[in-house]
Amino acid sequence: MGSCRFKPMRRSARRASDRAINVDVIFPVLHGTFGEDGTIQGLLELADIAYVGAGVLGSAARHGQGHHESLFIAAGIPIVKHVTILRSAWEKAPRKRRSPVESKLRYPVFVKPANLGSSVGSAKAHDRKELRPAIEEAAKFDRKIVIEQGVGGKKNKAREIECSVAGQRRSVASIPGEIVPVKEFYDYKRQVSRRRF
């Protein structure tokens, strides 16, 4: 058997010859599943193409409900009470799965697919009657369903403040913006409508 010595190509030469597209950097302006869950970031990493934004781990941890909560708890950051159930467990015994929701949380609750964005498949349930259809709707989009305790109340409504932070060596924060929904819940329909607020 003969021996073969591997001679690595220069990075730029290899990349230019291997790429299907010739780009310097990708701006992954995608939302929700496959866009901000680490999937496209992983694809770009495998393709050795530079991109902006969070990396694979940061995207996956942020996007998957249940994952970022664990990280927040470990860092001492308070989060709302929540219960996670699997679609298969709900389908087998809905009453049994409803019990921990009602024993650990109080109505109203927010029900949502664990790994989706933009409130797709999410609903607010004010009571037991609304809980079942909310869980069934969320189960259409994910095998894992998160039910969160509503916060605030009639007098003290919760506020959603958004603020982006950019930069690696020196971070810069944008001006904070507040979401002020015209309805009780800032649902998917409201998020994508022309009259956003």
Side-chain angles (χ1 to χ4, degrees):
M1 283 186 144
S3 66
C4 178
R5 299 191 90 186
F6 176 72
K7 184 177 178 187
M9 296 173 79
R10 286 190 346 248
R11 181 180 170 107
S12 59
R14 180 181 56 81
R15 287 193 61 212
S17 66
D18 291 346
R19 286 187 294 190
I21 58 173
N22 189 15
V23 296
D24 292 323
V25 65
I26 297 282
F27 287 78
V29 187
L30 304 166
H31 193 56
T33 307
F34 308 123
E36 48 185 352
D37 64 357
T39 304
I40 193 72
Q41 293 81 1
L43 178 66
L44 294 170
E45 294 272 343
L46 287 170
D48 200 23
I49 298 174
Y51 61 94
V52 300
V56 177
L57 179 60
S59 297
R62 202 280 330 137
H63 199 265
Q65 299 283 331
H67 301 299
H68 70 267
E69 284 94 342
S70 299
L71 296 171
F72 287 171
I73 290 167
I77 299 170
I79 62 169
V80 297
K81 292 180 186 177
H82 66 282
V83 173
T84 303
I85 60 174
L86 296 178
R87 176 178 51 214
S88 58
W90 172 259
E91 290 169 346
K92 287 179 187 171
R95 285 184 182 168
K96 185 177 179 182
R97 299 299 162 226
R98 185 180 65 211
S99 180
V101 172
E102 293 184 327
S103 67
K104 295 178 181 177
L105 309 175
R106 66 181 196 286
Y107 292 104
V109 295
F110 288 91
V111 182
K112 52 191 174 181
N115 297 296
L116 217 53
S118 296
S119 300
V120 173
S122 299
K124 185 175 184 180
H126 297 87
D127 52 36
R128 179 182 284 188
K129 184 179 175 184
E130 293 179 351
L131 182 63
R132 184 181 190 115
I135 291 173
E136 289 172 356
E137 180 65 18
K140 292 176 184 176
F141 298 94
D142 201 336
R143 64 177 195 82
K144 187 175 171 186
I145 300 141
V146 177
I147 300 123
E148 294 180 336
Q149 173 71 61
V151 295
K154 291 181 180 179
K155 293 182 181 179
N156 299 315
K157 293 198 176 214
R159 298 174 71 186
E160 182 176 345
I161 310 295
E162 297 182 333
C163 180
S164 65
V165 179
Q168 290 181 344
R169 290 190 181 103
R170 185 174 163 262
S171 298
V172 178
S174 69
I175 297 171
E178 181 172 7
I179 303 296
V180 183
V182 294
K183 298 281 185 178
E184 181 181 30
F185 169 46
Y186 189 50
D187 61 8
Y188 178 69
K189 185 177 178 182
R190 302 282 179 272
Q191 289 181 30
V192 298
S193 69
R194 285 189 176 176
R195 293 179 58 202
R196 295 187 64 117
F197 301 102

